[in-house]
Amino acid sequence: MKNEASYDLRRQVLWGLLLVGLGVAFLLDQMHIVAIESLWHYAPLLLVVIGINQTIGYPSGREFASGLWTAFIGLWLFAVLEGAFGLTFANSWPLFIIISGVTMAIRPLAERKFGKYDHRIEHKGGNDHGH
């Protein structure tokens, strides 16, 4: 239960900080201090943060694998949009085959370590009558 509470706290803090950061960016744009258009190319990195958040704390095996997939999509989009390593939408499709294989291989290991299902769902909303 301690891990569960820690995970929920970390998730809530992350989303709160993301909202604060987004609000600050819009405020700075409205005050003509920073042009928000110049920050949009970093947007895919939000997917990386969301994916990493899914992999830490108290995830299920499925959530862990999903977090890796989400982080990969963010990194891939950022790399393609920035032209890093010569990647384009046309030439980087084999990376999806690779990451699909990686997540398929890691998911059973993550399920063994973290459990197959999201245990937090079992505890929320149910009448456990003090059990």
Side-chain angles (χ1 to χ4, degrees), residues 100-120:
S100 294
V102 168
T103 54
M104 285 177 71
I106 286 180
R107 186 172 169 185
L109 300 172
E111 287 175 350
R112 179 180 262 172
K113 178 168 177 56
F114 300 117
K116 197 168 193 167
Y117 303 105
D118 191 345
H119 303 291
R120 289 171 283 129

Side-chain angles (χ1 to χ4, degrees), residues 69 72 76 87 91-100:
W69 182 257
F72 164 75
W76 172 75
L87 293 175
N91 71 7
S92 61
W93 63 266
L95 291 173
F96 284 91
I97 296 172
I98 294 167
I99 195 64
S100 294

